[in-house]
Amino acid sequence: MGRPRFPFISGLKGVGAKVIILEEASRLDENVFTEVIVPLLNVRDTALLAISTPLDENNFYSTLLAMKEPNSDRPMFNTLEIKLICSDCEKR
């Protein structure tokens, strides 16, 4: 078999992606994100679409949404929040 073609990527099933879709991203284990998703995001023109049911703020997904670029106040990720509840109902 010889040496792996991409020895810096361990445990991945592939070496590239155009779109990564994470359904129920707030339940994703942080290790899966760092070991599988992050290396794929280093591939040019790869997009991440993370979809989740809102949970409390104590999950990795909420942490990702709040992340800022180093030495900046700019968000790390472009986000779009879609709610299926009006603001009055949400306050109740």
Side-chain angles (χ1 to χ4, degrees):
M1 292 253 329
R3 290 180 51 211
R5 185 168 174 202
F6 300 98
F8 58 93
I9 301 176
S10 68
L12 279 177
K13 301 286 188 248
V15 293
K18 290 293 180 191
V19 178
I20 302 166
I21 300 173
L22 301 178
E23 187 173 348
E24 293 302 342
S26 65
R27 291 164 174 77
L28 181 69
D29 183 273
E30 183 176 351
N31 292 329
V32 172
F33 188 82
T34 56
E35 292 177 20
V36 178
I37 305 301
V38 169
L40 289 173
L41 291 175
N42 286 318
V43 177
R44 183 183 165 129
D45 298 326
T46 300
L48 171 64
L49 176 61
I51 305 163
S52 195
T53 304
L55 293 176
D56 60 24
E57 299 296 318
N58 298 321
N59 62 78
F60 188 59
Y61 179 68
S62 295
T63 301
L64 290 174
L65 291 177
M67 287 178 74
K68 305 288 184 190
E69 289 186 9
N71 303 318
S72 170
D73 197 33
R74 290 181 50 202
M76 181 72 71
F77 298 98
N78 294 325
T79 62
L80 173 63
E81 184 176 10
I82 299 172
K83 295 182 179 184
L84 301 177
I85 187 171
C86 71
S87 58
D88 290 337
C89 294
E90 186 177 22
K91 291 176 186 173
R92 292 184 205 170

